[in-house]
Amino acid sequence: MSSKNSSTPVESTSGDSVKSSDALARWTAAARKSAPGGNLQALNWNTPDGITVKPLYTAADIADLPMIDSLPGFAPYLRGPQATMYAVRPWTIRQYAGFSTAEESNAFYRKALAAGGQGVSVAFDLATHRGYDSDHPRVTGDVGKAGVAIDSVEDMKILFDGIPLDQMSVSMTMNGAVIPILAFFIVAGEEQGVDRKLLDGTIQNDILKEFMVRNTYIYPPEPSMKIIGDIIEYTARNMPKFNSISISGYHMQEAGANQALELAFTLADGKEYVKTAIASGLDVDDFAGRLSFFWAIGMNFYLEVAKMRAARLLWCRIMKGFDAKNPKSLMLRTHCQTSGWSLTEQDPYNNVVRTTIEAMAAVFGGTQSLHTNALDEAIALPTEFSARIARNTQLIIQEETHITNVIDPWAGSYMMEKLTQDMADAAWKIIEEVQAMGGMVKAVDSGWAKLKIEAAAADKQARIDSGQDVIVGVNKYRLDSHDAVEARDIDNVAVREGQIRRLKTIRAGRDAKAVDAALAALSAAGSEGSGNLLDLSIKAMRVRATVGEVSDALEKAFGRHRADTHKVSGVYAASYDTGSESGDAMKQWDAIKADIALFAEQQGRRPRVMVAKLGQDGHDRGAKVVATAFADLGYDVDIGPLFQTPEECARQAIENDVHAVGVSTLAAGHKTLVPAIIAELRKQGGGEIVVFVGGVVPRQDYDFLMQSGVKGIYGPGTPIPDSAADVLKQIRASLTA
């Protein structure tokens, strides 16, 4: 029996030594015989990130890589932040959820924890995100939609009733109203008998990302950064187990960013937050160990694993630039969530497979906690049934596969090590570009970062609509009919009425003078730049100030941010043209353009549409992509400002003399807000204007919307050329009616 020496070449089945000098040349010759047209370059995958992924990698690809021999738990943490990773402690299984009321959400959390969940992750409704109490007139369609309504400490206490906050890690996705929400949490802990030093979890607290993509901001960038600094300072001094910020790339990818953009912008945001904390007087090692990150994990499997490994490498490099000494300051720790954007309404059970693959990428990438999306989240909040499948996906990976036994199993892979370096290089190039602009605050303020993401989103949608990127069940292997999927329906009116009743009770039973004094102190501190705003908010919450009152007090000092609305041009058309996989797709494109030109000739002007976002739903990826694509086809396109009321939207549509208004919805407010815009158009004399709806709309709501007067509904996966053609048809019909 012979032994193998590590220096001895491994023999292939053909007898060619893998390490022999001419082996690669022989492979190249053999591969050319089956490559399209004999061109090996045709087998390369040129990613949107600017990275070329080859069909074959060899030892030569990693020969000069500097970190190839690194180990987990040691700088630069390429292979993971802990020495033993999942071999000792698997990642934390979280369920991100918020179901309209604190009572209903609490019931879900308790069931999830009993069934194997290991942490609580809270989704808030958009009224809360934007700092409005549930009785505010601007949030009639938002209360209890897409998350839980939290107006006061009393709501927060109900939310965590029976969940011991000294034993349970709690993650809260909150950015705009981060001061009152974190104050609620701390006071709820106090009144549960838990010292703030024992509170464990994470507050997202990442406002720069909000200005780029998600838009649940309240105040302008400068005072928003002051808030972040105050939270980092307070938690560093008083809450040693609590992560003061979760620097989030997730929403960037959901908004259309490729992996390199997500990685670069997120790390650049993190760099800005570190600078802010240092400027507030903290030593970097006093707080950096409690910073965490949050990645989206999509369907580009290899790229997602490489992104997470590259992220740890680059963050270590960035923190060494701040002269951090503590190893914990150098290591990037992260939560991950499988992609919501990759979920499809069509053939929805495919989403179970997608989520599983994405969860595997997160695990192989070395995440510290993970949320897996449910199969029905393309159309609504998950049901208990779908949430159980999503949670069990993680439990099966943890308990049945033995994946956890090996630390960073991709280490040493020719492909993965090279791809990790390529991803790091691509992201670092963008980070250097941001740095040359003066940092991420300036890149965000200028609108440059937002436009980069929007261009990537338009490019991605064009690749899907043209058939270049395959989505099974959407643009390939489509079913003739679709299985009905039960979708959770929230009675927004009933939820809002319940919240208003509780608010009235709280206001009637509190010391009004104490509340007024606490709010005045907040306003003064904001205006003067003195004191810690979180500390002052905690004092306000103890006397039962509300989320809206604290937000208003700070708005008196800071003002409320209003974003400029822009759209990219030409990106969708260029990508559609170059990426079209069939002549039929281009024929359709050209036919629609010709029809729009004919309309302009006949009517004396081009068809004009207004793309609108109503209520507090700031998720504008779909709206921006549709606006860009419609404009590239020849429509005149107006984009309404974010957070319009139906009355404001109707007024703008009539003043701009549009033919149609397209309402983009992702936050389940359509049953309230869409009938309201139709009623307002009629009231203001614009009843002839066509109203169409796009975005996340459960099929069970289609009849309701059509009966309300909607002329077209274009759900997730609808090719934009199809919707553009149908809108033109509806406009023509309205003009001849």
Side-chain angles (χ1 to χ4, degrees):
M1 188 173 182
S2 63
S3 62
K4 289 186 178 179
N5 187 296
S6 60
S7 64
T8 303
V10 178
E11 298 294 321
S12 71
T13 55
S14 65
D16 289 328
S17 170
V18 173
K19 292 187 179 180
S20 70
S21 58
D22 62 346
L24 189 59
R26 295 181 186 177
W27 175 86
T28 301
R32 277 181 179 145
K33 294 177 182 178
S34 55
N39 179 18
L40 275 182
Q41 298 297 314
L43 301 179
N44 289 342
W45 172 32
N46 297 309
T47 78
D49 315 72
I51 296 169
T52 298
V53 180
K54 303 186 297 180
L56 178 71
Y57 290 81
T58 69
D61 289 292
I62 64 171
D64 299 322
L65 297 186
M67 305 299 175
I68 197 69
D69 291 327
S70 66
L71 291 169
F74 294 89
Y77 304 102
L78 179 74
R79 299 188 62 186
Q82 290 97 29
T84 53
M85 292 297 290
Y86 309 146
V88 171
R89 186 177 182 269
W91 65 94
T92 300
I93 298 173
R94 293 193 183 277
Q95 289 292 105
Y96 177 58
F99 297 122
S100 66
T101 67
E103 291 89 346
E104 191 174 353
S105 300
N106 174 261
F108 175 86
Y109 296 149
R110 292 169 74 165
K111 285 181 182 176
L113 292 169
Q118 297 156 354
V120 172
S121 190
V122 184
F124 298 92
D125 73 357
L126 289 167
T128 305
H129 273 288
R130 292 270 292 148
Y132 293 112
D133 287 333
S134 295
D135 58 358
H136 197 285
R138 298 194 75 88
V139 299
T140 54
D142 299 296
V143 177
K145 293 289 193 179
V148 60
I150 299 292
D151 292 314
S152 71
V153 170
E154 296 305 319
D155 290 332
M156 190 69 82
K157 287 168 69 176
I158 294 168
L159 188 67
F160 294 114
D161 182 44
I163 298 173
L165 294 179
D166 56 346
Q167 301 173 34
M168 189 57 58
S169 172
V170 175
S171 172
M172 293 178 286
T173 300
M174 178 53 65
N175 302 282
V178 63
I179 282 281
I181 289 299
L182 185 52
F184 285 156
F185 178 69
I186 292 166
V187 175
E190 287 177 357
E191 297 186 10
Q192 199 183 83
V194 178
D195 189 283
R196 59 194 174 179
K197 290 184 173 63
L198 299 177
L199 293 173
D200 187 3
T202 304
I203 188 83
Q204 193 162 102
N205 194 28
D206 176 6
I207 203 64
L208 288 175
K209 160 267 299 173
E210 298 295 324
F211 293 115
M212 283 187 275
V213 291
R214 194 162 171 260
N215 300 309
T216 60
Y217 45 71
I218 301 176
Y219 316 111
E222 187 175 342
S224 295
M225 293 297 287
K226 153 72 173 165
I227 287 170
I228 286 171
D230 281 4
I231 290 172
I232 293 174
E233 179 189 29
Y234 184 93
T235 53
R237 301 192 192 285
N238 300 289
M239 301 168 68
K241 297 177 67 177
F242 198 82
N243 298 322
S244 56
I245 191 167
S246 175
I247 306 154
S248 174
Y250 183 89
H251 304 98
M252 298 182 200
Q253 187 178 136
E254 291 288 282
N258 56 50
Q259 280 76 16
L261 272 177
E262 178 194 5
L263 177 55
F265 285 172
T266 305
L267 295 182
D269 282 352
K271 191 175 178 180
E272 215 60 52
Y273 297 139
V274 172
K275 286 162 57 180
T276 297
I278 291 171
S280 74
L282 290 172
D283 181 89
V284 65
D285 287 319
D286 288 343
F287 67 88
R290 301 311 305 174
L291 305 179
S292 68
F293 287 78
F294 175 27
W295 305 119
I297 306 296
M299 287 297 287
N300 286 340
F301 185 88
Y302 296 143
L303 292 189
E304 294 293 4
V305 178
K307 177 188 76 183
M308 295 176 69
R309 301 173 92 245
R312 292 190 290 270
L313 181 73
L314 295 182
W315 186 245
C316 185
R317 183 189 302 178
I318 289 169
M319 293 309 292
K320 283 183 176 179
F322 286 107
D323 201 28
K325 303 289 194 303
N326 191 325
K328 289 185 177 180
S329 301
L330 303 174
M331 61 177 69
L332 182 150
R333 296 162 301 108
T334 190
H335 171 70
C336 290
Q337 181 175 340
T338 60
S339 174
W341 183 85
S342 70
L343 304 177
T344 65
E345 178 192 30
Q346 299 89 341
D347 211 356
Y349 292 104
N350 290 343
N351 295 333
V352 177
V353 181
R354 293 185 178 104
T355 294
T356 302
I357 291 168
E358 291 167 351
M360 295 281 283
V363 170
F364 284 135
T367 191
Q368 278 62 68
S369 68
L370 177 61
H371 166 81
T372 35
N373 287 329
L375 67 95
D376 49 358
E377 286 188 71
I379 56 172
L381 288 170
T383 61
E384 280 192 32
F385 168 76
S386 65
R388 175 169 59 84
I389 293 173
R391 181 175 59 253
N392 287 351
T393 299
Q394 293 194 58
L395 288 170
I396 289 166
I397 295 172
Q398 271 192 9
E399 303 288 350
E400 296 186 25
T401 63
H402 297 282
I403 286 171
T404 59
N405 293 93
V406 178
I407 305 163
D408 189 22
W410 282 94
S413 159
Y414 301 147
M415 179 274 296
M416 186 54 67
E417 297 291 7
K418 180 63 166 62
L419 198 55
T420 297
Q421 189 64 50
D422 288 346
M423 181 63 68
D425 292 343
W428 194 254
K429 184 178 178 182
I430 299 168
I431 291 171
E432 289 181 324
E433 196 172 354
V434 170
Q435 194 61 31
M437 297 175 69
M440 205 62 196
V441 172
K442 293 209 168 121
V444 169
D445 250 349
S446 69
W448 174 83
K450 188 175 183 68
L451 286 173
K452 289 280 283 186
I453 293 173
E454 289 175 1
D459 175 67
K460 175 68 175 176
Q461 190 61 50
R463 294 199 311 273
I464 293 169
D465 289 346
S466 65
Q468 181 182 6
D469 288 1
V470 172
I471 310 292
V472 174
V474 175
N475 64 0
K476 199 171 184 179
Y477 312 112
R478 286 179 287 201
L479 298 176
D480 294 329
S481 60
H482 297 283
D483 296 327
V485 176
E486 178 191 356
R488 183 184 289 270
D489 189 28
I490 303 295
D491 187 344
N492 160 247
V493 175
V495 175
R496 187 166 183 261
E497 287 174 349
Q499 290 297 121
I500 291 172
R501 284 194 298 271
R502 190 176 290 155
L503 277 167
K504 286 179 178 176
T505 301
I506 289 167
R507 289 168 181 155
R510 67 190 185 179
D511 184 340
K513 288 184 179 178
V515 173
D516 290 344
L519 295 174
L522 266 170
S523 294
S527 298
E528 297 163 6
S530 61
N532 186 287
L533 296 176
L534 177 56
D535 185 47
L536 290 166
S537 291
I538 291 168
K539 293 172 181 173
M541 297 320 179
R542 287 176 182 144
V543 295
R544 291 314 188 257
T546 67
V547 68
E549 291 165 343
V550 167
S551 298
D552 287 347
L554 292 174
E555 188 178 340
K556 286 178 183 176
F558 300 147
R560 188 172 276 264
H561 182 68
R562 301 281 188 274
D564 294 327
T565 306
H566 305 285
K567 65 178 183 289
V568 297
S569 60
V571 173
Y572 183 95
S575 298
Y576 194 97
D577 187 15
T578 58
S580 184
E581 292 289 292
S582 74
D584 289 343
M586 284 311 302
K587 285 178 184 176
Q588 182 194 23
W589 178 265
D590 292 337
I592 296 168
K593 288 187 72 174
D595 205 15
I596 290 169
L598 177 63
F599 178 97
E601 184 181 330
Q602 293 170 337
Q603 298 293 326
R605 66 178 181 127
R606 293 190 290 177
R608 190 177 190 99
V609 301
M610 175 180 166
V611 179
K613 295 290 297 186
L614 301 179
Q616 301 307 304
D617 176 14
H619 299 81
D620 61 351
R621 169 182 179 153
K624 291 294 186 65
V625 170
V626 166
T628 295
F630 271 48
D632 287 352
L633 279 163
Y635 277 91
D636 277 334
V637 180
D638 300 326
I639 302 178
L642 290 170
F643 316 121
Q644 279 190 314
T645 64
E647 181 183 15
E648 292 164 345
C649 178
R651 188 184 309 123
Q652 182 180 348
I654 292 168
E655 288 174 353
N656 290 6
D657 195 22
V658 304
H659 295 103
V661 172
V663 179
S664 174
T665 177
L666 271 84
H670 51 272
K671 289 179 74 174
T672 302
L673 295 168
V674 173
I677 177 65
I678 293 170
E680 278 295 335
L681 285 169
R682 291 169 179 165
K683 180 181 174 183
Q684 297 183 36
E688 78 286 352
I689 294 174
V690 171
V691 174
F692 61 97
V693 179
V696 178
V697 181
R699 288 191 176 271
Q700 65 198 39
D701 295 346
Y702 279 28
D703 286 346
F704 171 84
L705 292 175
M706 298 300 278
Q707 289 168 13
S708 299
V710 172
K711 299 301 182 183
I713 303 171
Y714 314 111
T718 304
I720 291 179
D722 290 356
S723 61
D726 192 61
V727 168
L728 186 65
K729 176 183 172 184
Q730 297 299 337
I731 291 172
R732 279 203 170 103
S734 73
L735 294 174
T736 57

